[in-house]
Amino acid sequence: MRTRTRTLLHGLLVTLLLLGTGLLTAATATAADNGTWGVFPTPPAGAAMTDRAYFFHQGAAGATVEDSATIVNSSDKEMTFQIFATDAVNTPVGGGFALLPVETKPKDVGTWIALPPETKGTVTVPAKGRKDVPFSVKVPADATPGDHVGGIVALNTAVEGVQQDGQVKVGVKRQVGARLYFRVPGPVTPGLSVEDVKVSRAAPLLPWVEDAHAKITYSLVNRGNVVVEPKVTVSAEGLFGRTVLDRPARELKLVLLPGQRIELTEEWADAPQSDWVTVHIAAGASAYPDLVSESATDFLAVPWPALGLVLVLAGAAITLRVLRRRRRSGSERPESVPDLAGAL
């Protein structure tokens, strides 16, 4: 019984971790709201609830900044939440913005945030109501210059559903958080690196009957101390410098946080089927025109299935020819003549 209970709790924590990260992923600069409840920066008196999408603050090491978050309950029944502060990360694949779940302890700006004592337990918000939660951000004396990103999160304490995890059913809880961007003044060093460019191909059995498909994967790494909104250019050259792929620079519509590494994918539907190809990935950021990084990789595009078939047929033809020659030479060999002298 104890083992089953432990398994259930483990499953619940894993589910919360996965769903918390997924539900807190957002690509556009909008306030955090899942349609049932939301977390917003508290607006000034008379201002619209979405007057500020996120928290944006700055303060030197040792400073303290005050603000307030508002939890809005749009449902027809009261809801109880666990309120906590945490750090932000990028999801490793795809680079989505995510706030850490309650099970993961923050190490950066999430530790700077102090919530009021009454939020140590839970906070209940009436139906169609709101609750303002003041908080303070105290910047440590040894805080490094640059951007520190986290958020204020409201976790619904009610189990909203059940999910099957193998033979174990686990309860599902949801959380919503508002982003908090905090900049500590000092030297700003934007950094962006393109790394680990790779190409995988899938070619048809008979070349040029169907298109070959390729997948380009690469990593973007923010090695600076400020957030970067990357834009990427993808190109490829064949033999003799021929352009076989040319995708102009485009904004990825994601925020790459300091110290984060993400893996991205480019699908190439009509990749070359017979060529020596060099793929180039170049990354930059509109806010930092001098910030440019590029990496490349080569691959040999060969219709291996067709080439293998040709080699098999050629090998069979050569074998058949050799066998025929052996048979012919055997049939033309002269009969042996008796040694008459020895017989006499």
Side-chain angles (χ1 to χ4, degrees):
M1 184 67 180
R2 181 177 299 175
T3 301
R4 179 172 177 80
T5 302
R6 186 178 302 165
T7 303
L8 284 167
L9 290 174
H10 174 72
L12 178 58
L13 292 178
V14 170
T15 303
L16 284 174
L17 173 62
L18 295 176
L19 292 180
T21 300
L23 289 170
L24 290 177
T25 300
T28 56
T30 56
D33 188 349
N34 65 6
T36 305
W37 77 92
V39 183
F40 307 87
T42 302
M49 182 58 65
T50 56
D51 183 62
R52 289 188 297 162
Y54 304 142
F55 297 99
F56 292 93
H57 290 294
Q58 68 174 6
T64 299
V65 177
E66 307 284 343
D67 206 333
S68 174
T70 296
I71 316 301
V72 176
N73 179 6
S74 303
S75 72
D76 295 325
K77 57 182 180 181
E78 70 175 22
M79 301 183 71
T80 301
F81 302 98
Q82 180 179 355
I83 311 299
F84 63 95
T86 191
D87 296 337
V89 295
N90 288 105
T91 56
V93 178
F97 184 98
L99 293 171
L100 296 176
V102 67
E103 298 87 13
T104 305
K105 292 184 178 181
K107 298 179 180 180
D108 193 51
V109 70
T111 65
W112 305 355
I113 300 172
L115 296 167
E118 57 267 26
T119 63
K120 293 295 184 181
T122 58
V123 172
T124 299
V125 183
K128 303 296 183 181
R130 55 179 279 185
K131 175 72 174 180
D132 295 340
V133 179
F135 65 89
S136 62
V137 184
K138 185 173 182 179
V139 187
D142 59 351
T144 58
D147 292 334
H148 302 263
V149 188
I152 307 295
V153 182
L155 169 66
N156 185 9
T157 59
V159 175
E160 297 189 40
V162 176
Q163 181 174 332
Q164 192 78 25
D165 184 10
Q167 296 182 345
V168 179
K169 292 183 178 180
V170 296
V172 177
K173 296 181 179 180
R174 289 193 296 165
Q175 60 186 42
V176 173
R179 306 185 191 187
L180 185 147
Y181 292 89
F182 200 100
R183 173 165 290 188
V184 177
V188 172
T189 55
L192 184 61
S193 177
V194 181
E195 302 177 5
D196 301 330
V197 181
K198 300 175 184 177
V199 179
S200 59
R201 296 177 63 252
L205 180 62
L206 296 177
W208 303 288
V209 174
E210 298 179 3
D211 289 338
H213 296 267
K215 179 183 292 185
I216 305 168
T217 60
Y218 60 96
S219 295
L220 291 183
V221 186
N222 186 341
R223 300 193 178 281
N225 64 355
V226 291
V227 298
V228 173
E229 298 183 24
K231 59 181 180 180
V232 169
T233 303
V234 182
S235 61
E237 297 175 351
L239 287 172
F240 312 112
R242 296 179 304 105
T243 298
V244 294
L245 180 64
D246 185 13
R247 295 179 181 174
R250 73 183 192 282
E251 301 285 347
L252 297 182
K253 300 186 184 303
L254 61 85
V255 176
L256 186 56
L257 307 179
Q260 295 289 298
R261 170 188 289 268
I262 62 174
E263 182 180 291
L264 301 173
T265 300
E266 291 277 342
E267 298 290 343
W268 190 357
D270 55 348
Q273 302 198 38
S274 179
D275 208 339
W276 182 272
V277 183
T278 302
V279 176
H280 300 270
I281 304 291
S286 299
Y288 305 101
D290 296 331
L291 184 61
V292 178
S293 178
E294 183 174 349
S295 186
T297 190
D298 297 323
F299 73 92
L300 178 61
V302 177
W304 294 113
L307 182 60
L309 181 60
V310 170
L311 292 176
V312 169
L313 293 176
I318 292 172
T319 302
L320 184 60
R321 188 172 181 180
V322 170
L323 291 175
R324 285 179 177 176
R325 284 185 176 181
R326 287 180 178 178
R327 289 174 182 174
R328 189 179 303 163
S329 61
S331 62
E332 294 177 353
R333 183 179 302 166
E335 296 180 1
S336 58
V337 179
D339 189 356
L340 298 178
L344 294 175

